[in-house]
Amino acid sequence: MAEDEIPGIRRYSAPAGGWGALRATAKAVREQMEAAEAALTLLRTNKPDGFDCPGCAWPDKKHTSTFQFCENGAKAVTWEATRKRVPPPFFAAHTVTSLLGWSDYQLEDQGRLTHPMAYNAANDRYEAIGWDEAFARIGGVLRGLGDPGSVEFYTSGRASNEAAFLYQIFAREFGCNNFPDCSNMCHEPTSVGLPQSIGIGKGTVSLDDFDHCELLIAMGHNPGTNHPRMMATLHELARRGTPIIVFNPLRERALERFADPQDPLEMATFGATQIASTYLQPRIGGDAAALKGIMKALLEMDRLQGEGSAVLDRAFIAEHAEGFEELAADLRATSWQAIETSAGLPQDDLRKVAAAYARSNATIVTYGMGMTQHRTGTANVHQMVNLLLLRGNFGKPGAGICPLRGHSNVQGDRTVGITEKPAADMLARIERTFGFVPPSAHGHDAVAAMQAIVAGTSKALICLGGNLAVALPDPEACFPAMRRLELTVHIGTKLNRTHLLTGKNAFILPCLGRTERDMQETGPQSVTVEDSMSMVHASRGKLTPASEALKSEPAIIAGMAAATLPASRVPWTALIADYDRIRDAIESVFPDFTNFNERIRVPGGFRLPLPPTERIWKTPTGKAQFIKFGGLEEDPVFTDPTILKLATLRSHDQYNTTIYGMDDRYRGVFGRRDVLFMNSDDLARLGIEEGDEVRVETALGQGQERCLRNVVAVAYEIARGSVATYYPEGNCLVPLDYIDPASGTPSYKSVPVHVFRATPR
Ligand SMILES: Nc1nc2c(c(=O)[nH]1)N[C@H]1C(S)=C(S)[C@@H](COP(=O)(O)OP(=O)(O)OC[C@H]3O[C@@H](n4cnc5c(=O)[nH]c(N)nc54)[C@H](O)[C@@H]3O)O[C@H]1N2
Ligand SMILES: Nc1nc2c(c(=O)[nH]1)N[C@H]1C(S)=C(S)[C@@H](COP(=O)(O)OP(=O)(O)OC[C@H]3O[C@@H](n4cnc5c(=O)[nH]c(N)nc54)[C@H](O)[C@@H]3O)O[C@H]1N2
Ligand SMILES: [Mo]
């Protein structure tokens, strides 16, 4: 079938970025905002006195640089600062049941929520309610539940440090550690795996390190879409001639060729820069094997070079690391043939990567969801660290590990206490600061929280942002369970499907977004966020709030807490009057925030301590750990050759469950999302033609049929045996318990499936 015969499927031959990005930005502005206001708003993004971009967690050059253009940052900002509104008459006109029939895109595109709303089951509608009455009713239900452990406190990673801190204090004074958060679906393997390897669950590089790095290995992330400001860094590296080796089963255009909208010459000449110097396409779930192959090759090179070889940093290993001998023995015992089969890459390619790595004196490994959202996500993180440790790539300029975090403050939320497994010293300091005894029993992460909701043991769900039921796997189990809850409370900016899965008592509490002015008793307030390089800085919105009835996230949390806990030891009202007081309390609980208020007044903020950058390892033995990966396979091995591995991905026009538009420009998909990307050999092998309608079925044989229908097969440059579709549509194929046991993160990127042709011949 000729390619233009499939509606909306066109090959995209241009580089990423460039004029296409400028056109897409203009479209986002046109559809959501007044042009003049949009221009002013975008210019305030990531400025010393402006607000932090809600788009991603990639740092900005000290938050002091000139305006950095970013298409998807602009989409995130204009989507929040839209002129569209969802006022009470909207809810009067539509029952919740009818709204459930709308698409995710339609729901959010209605605009900003304007008033607190309470669900009325008698007429199946959300109705406006006063703030105080909402708080009182929520408090009443929570107090009436009896068991504090039956309440789930979800956090999505846009929440500021101040909001997240107050939220965890509220939950802990209430009496539980149930903190499902979006990180559990995202970088939890980083938060679990990195401490085991290097003693801290955060990336170790700073933006400056990219100026000194001699080799970058980029694994399983798609920065052209998800971390667009990183493209400027990659562009710079490529121009400087620094090799960039990509591991991604799909060809992602921005990792191949990019035209920097910041570069006048490139723009004027329609030029572009080649980004990846080497682009390897392992099969989905083949990275652990590939990393083992590279390390095996390195050991072989080291042996060949004999005495005096500089392939491994022997001095570093001896002084700083443990477990090398076990790792080396395991690598020696692993055959090249098995590595090639598991990785889906030839030995030769892996040896070349090893050679390039051995030449580099400073290497950075960057990674994203393609590495973490697997059954072995945590073990995958260990393997990337192993590779870096072999040549001492920690604690020197230009080297280290760089997880690309998701939500703009997901890292900060964890830093200020959103964790279901609280450390004893944090609990002790909470007690000292506020005078109540916080619970120490571990609570639920995201999957465990939903499992408790499905089992009926959890009775209430409070969500600080996000769209939990849609973000989690297995809507068939989750959606009906949500309706059985006693209480659902959503603090959000825009209407989404989870808000419509109403419990017996259901509330939507609309909050200010980051772009908006937050006025409290002592004047306009700033909040703080931490980016993926551990830089903490202030964010201050300037826009007039979308509605006079909105409250800030901290104010909503304080209101709920005060109404729930009449004998609270926390001075909720005083804390809200001046956020400096919240920051003083944060400093009192978390010593790393010394002089917090003073330090965020410096443009660019400050960096939290990162011991590995000084070669200090806060592991139990005080050494960095080599942790071997037993075997080669990330997933169960199937003998049935018709089973393929499915990854669920973001399109270029979406922010997680927020769908901005129906295009995925760089992958050549326009006006639709119902596609399954397939390798043409697999198409031929399975008797499917491009453009055929197909049915995707989960092949785990758990007795339950999981099926995605009405998707169209599209030929794509994707590794053989691997297929991909969009998130969240693909979530119906992922069982709720198909997780990395070490971290609890769902294996969204590797589900065994069968694909059947549905188009009759
Ligand atoms: N515009 C925009 N920005 C965002 C987001 C958004 O949705 N939109 N989401 C934010 C959030 S919360 C997050 S977590 C990040 C997500 O950012 P990314 O980590 O880039 O997220 P994904 O789109 O899920 O896919 C990652 C890549 O993994 C690859 N991949 C899939 N399976 C494998 C595998 O087995 N091995 C390897 N090596 N690669 C694989 C896919 O081809 C894809 O290119 O972005 C953040 N920023
Ligand atoms: N199949 C599959 N599933 C996945 C993934 C995948 O790759 N594949 N990725 C996972 C990942 S990495 C993540 S992080 C999760 C995301 O899970 P979530 O964080 O729960 O989801 P989002 O779509 O980011 O949440 C969108 C909603 O946040 C609210 N919101 C936006 N801005 C604000 C704000 O400033 N304040 C408040 N209070 N609310 C706000 C709006 O109401 C909006 O509807 O999904 C996970 N699910
Ligand atoms: Mo994420």
Side-chain angles (χ1 to χ4, degrees):
M1 187 183 281
E3 57 187 41
D4 55 359
E5 283 173 27
I6 308 168
I9 306 301
R10 270 169 259 153
R11 296 287 170 263
Y12 184 83
S13 49
W19 292 101
L22 292 183
R23 267 196 301 278
T25 307
K27 180 166 176 281
V29 167
R30 197 164 58 239
E31 287 174 3
Q32 302 295 336
M33 291 180 80
E34 308 301 337
E37 188 172 54
L40 267 177
T41 308
L42 292 174
L43 286 169
R44 280 191 206 120
T45 317
N46 292 340
K47 278 313 191 37
D49 63 338
F51 62 91
D52 188 71
C53 181
C56 74
W58 186 257
D60 233 41
K61 282 255 178 213
K62 299 197 167 38
H63 265 236
T64 51
S65 62
T66 49
F67 174 62
Q68 221 188 345
F69 169 81
C70 164
E71 173 192 340
N72 278 357
K75 282 188 210 153
V77 169
T78 53
W79 192 254
E80 175 177 299
T82 179
R83 66 178 107 80
K84 303 181 189 180
R85 298 287 179 271
V86 197
F90 170 86
F91 291 98
H94 303 283
T95 62
V96 164
T97 308
S98 70
L99 289 173
L100 278 167
W102 294 27
S103 71
D104 294 317
Y105 169 69
Q106 287 169 316
L107 288 175
E108 278 217 26
D109 192 39
Q110 300 311 304
R112 290 287 299 279
L113 295 158
T114 61
H115 287 78
M117 307 296 295
Y119 180 62
N120 179 352
N123 63 13
D124 188 29
R125 284 175 173 83
Y126 269 110
E127 295 172 343
I129 183 174
W131 281 106
D132 288 343
E133 195 193 339
F135 292 149
R137 279 182 54 192
I138 293 166
V141 178
L142 287 175
R143 278 197 308 275
L145 288 174
D147 173 14
S150 66
V151 182
E152 304 292 345
F153 291 85
Y154 176 66
T155 312
S156 168
R158 263 200 202 182
S160 62
N161 290 332
E162 289 73 7
F165 177 76
L166 289 188
Y167 192 58
Q168 60 98 351
I169 293 297
F170 168 35
R172 292 196 162 109
E173 191 174 20
F174 178 70
C176 82
N177 284 311
N178 289 339
F179 289 110
D181 86 287
C182 71
S183 178
N184 301 144
M185 299 178 263
C186 182
H187 264 294
E188 202 59 44
T190 299
S191 302
V192 173
L194 285 184
Q196 294 166 346
S197 293
I198 55 170
I200 187 169
K202 299 180 179 187
T204 65
V205 303
S206 68
L207 216 43
D208 291 341
D209 284 315
F210 289 86
D211 296 340
H212 305 286
C213 106
E214 296 181 16
L215 169 68
L216 187 125
I217 302 180
M219 306 193 76
H221 65 96
N222 184 22
T225 291
N226 298 318
H227 301 88
R229 280 179 295 117
M230 184 195 194
M231 290 312 302
T233 305
L234 293 178
H235 190 257
E236 237 172 79
L237 250 67
R239 287 261 167 130
R240 209 169 68 213
T242 308
I244 298 175
I245 303 178
V246 168
F247 284 83
N248 196 314
L250 274 82
R251 284 263 165 185
E252 303 284 24
R253 177 50 45 90
L255 291 168
E256 297 179 313
R257 276 180 295 134
F258 179 71
D260 190 349
Q262 243 77 240
D263 184 327
L265 188 65
E266 208 156 66
M267 292 296 280
T269 58
F270 292 91
T273 301
Q274 180 189 334
I275 299 295
S277 47
T278 305
Y279 202 122
L280 299 179
Q281 292 179 267
R283 62 183 189 89
I284 285 176
D287 303 273
L291 284 162
K292 285 185 80 165
I294 300 165
M295 291 190 280
K296 183 178 173 71
L298 220 54
L299 293 188
E300 290 177 3
M301 285 167 68
D302 181 63
R303 212 172 35 243
L304 270 178
Q305 295 196 0
E307 198 72 17
S309 151
V311 173
L312 305 180
D313 187 340
R314 297 249 174 217
F316 174 91
I317 295 172
E319 189 184 341
H320 292 287
E322 289 173 344
F324 173 75
E325 283 313 325
E326 291 87 320
L327 181 90
D330 176 62
L331 293 171
R332 280 193 296 269
T334 310
S335 81
W336 271 112
Q337 198 195 348
I339 288 172
E340 288 185 319
T341 313
S342 296
L345 292 171
Q347 183 184 153
D348 214 38
D349 284 352
L350 297 173
R351 286 190 187 278
K352 282 184 189 142
V353 177
Y357 179 54
R359 275 194 301 274
S360 158
N361 294 308
T363 300
I364 292 176
V365 176
T366 57
Y367 68 97
M369 297 298 98
M371 297 302 288
T372 60
Q373 292 175 335
H374 289 270
R375 303 259 300 169
T376 55
T378 303
N380 289 352
V381 170
H382 295 155
Q383 299 324 296
M384 291 181 280
V385 176
N386 289 345
L387 179 66
L388 288 168
L389 286 174
L390 286 175
R391 289 185 46 77
N393 277 304
F394 287 98
K396 65 181 180 188
I401 189 133
C402 177
L404 289 149
R405 300 301 298 233
H407 269 297
S408 48
N409 197 39
V410 58
Q411 187 164 316
D413 292 345
R414 180 58 55 87
T415 304
V416 299
I418 300 294
T419 167
E420 77 284 3
K421 298 188 192 88
D425 55 337
M426 175 183 78
L427 295 176
R429 281 193 296 263
I430 290 179
E431 184 175 348
R432 219 176 309 139
T433 304
F434 293 106
F436 68 87
V437 182
S440 55
H442 289 183
H444 295 150
D445 65 7
V447 165
M450 189 51 81
Q451 285 170 332
I453 291 172
V454 171
T457 49
S458 278
K459 309 282 186 209
L461 171 67
I462 302 179
C463 291
L464 178 54
N467 188 1
L468 178 63
V470 176
L472 276 170
D474 210 346
E476 277 185 47
C478 302
F479 286 13
M482 293 279 298
R483 310 291 302 252
R484 295 192 291 268
L485 286 165
E486 286 296 321
L487 174 70
T488 51
V489 179
H490 295 287
I491 303 170
T493 50
K494 293 233 179 157
L495 183 63
N496 66 45
R497 194 169 304 284
T498 304
H499 303 168
L500 301 173
L501 301 169
T502 49
K504 287 182 197 128
N505 299 278
F507 299 86
I508 301 175
L509 306 179
C511 64
L512 296 171
R514 254 193 221 161
T515 51
E516 289 161 323
R517 197 182 321 117
D518 181 353
M519 194 58 102
Q520 303 295 344
E521 219 177 285
T522 59
Q525 305 294 318
S526 303
V527 292
T528 59
V529 295
E530 175 183 341
D531 66 31
S532 43
M533 294 178 191
S534 300
M535 292 293 301
V536 178
H537 45 75
S539 170
R540 179 179 287 226
K542 296 267 169 63
L543 290 183
T544 307
S547 140
E548 281 180 4
L550 298 185
K551 281 187 185 288
S552 74
E553 290 176 338
I556 295 173
I557 294 158
M560 262 194 303
T564 307
L565 307 165
S568 176
R569 309 294 287 268
V570 181
W572 296 106
T573 319
L575 288 171
I576 296 311
D578 182 351
Y579 293 1
D580 277 3
R581 296 174 193 153
I582 309 179
R583 284 184 283 272
D584 285 339
I586 293 178
E587 181 177 337
S588 160
V589 175
F590 299 100
D592 283 351
F593 287 88
T594 355
N595 299 328
F596 193 4
N597 278 306
E598 210 173 296
R599 285 198 289 167
I600 54 145
R601 287 187 164 75
V602 179
F606 62 93
R607 193 164 197 219
L608 290 168
L610 282 167
T613 60
E614 297 158 57
R615 298 194 165 176
I616 295 169
W617 322 96
K618 303 239 166 180
T619 57
T621 60
K623 300 261 180 168
Q625 302 293 314
F626 284 104
I627 304 175
K628 75 169 192 210
F629 187 101
L632 285 165
E633 290 295 335
E634 295 182 17
D635 304 296
V637 181
F638 299 94
T639 44
D640 176 352
T642 62
I643 289 183
L644 307 168
K645 291 282 176 55
L646 170 88
T648 53
L649 320 165
R650 293 155 169 81
S651 80
H652 193 61
D653 270 3
Q654 89 182 69
Y655 196 95
N656 297 340
T657 68
T658 296
I659 312 298
Y660 301 130
M662 303 301 281
D663 296 349
D664 192 7
R665 193 166 78 241
Y666 300 150
R667 298 196 188 111
V669 179
F670 298 89
R672 62 192 305 172
R673 293 173 53 87
D674 54 346
V675 298
L676 182 74
F677 298 107
M678 294 183 73
N679 181 290
S680 38
D681 289 353
D682 291 325
L683 282 170
R685 186 162 67 93
L686 297 172
I688 300 170
E689 280 182 25
E690 192 179 16
D692 277 350
E693 192 180 307
V694 292
R695 191 173 80 243
V696 189
E697 278 179 22
T698 304
L700 280 165
Q702 291 185 327
Q704 189 179 349
E705 193 194 315
R706 292 171 200 282
C707 183
L708 178 68
R709 289 172 205 278
N710 305 322
V711 282
V712 164
V714 171
Y716 198 82
E717 284 183 271
I718 181 170
R720 238 178 264 127
S722 303
V723 293
T725 191
Y726 294 121
Y727 141 60
E729 290 86 339
N731 286 21
C732 59
L733 296 166
V734 191
L736 188 54
D737 60 359
Y738 201 59
I739 58 173
D740 168 23
S743 66
T745 299
S747 179
Y748 295 117
K749 292 285 186 278
S750 187
V751 181
V753 293
H754 278 122
V755 179
F756 301 101
R757 191 183 72 223
T759 305
R761 286 267 194 279

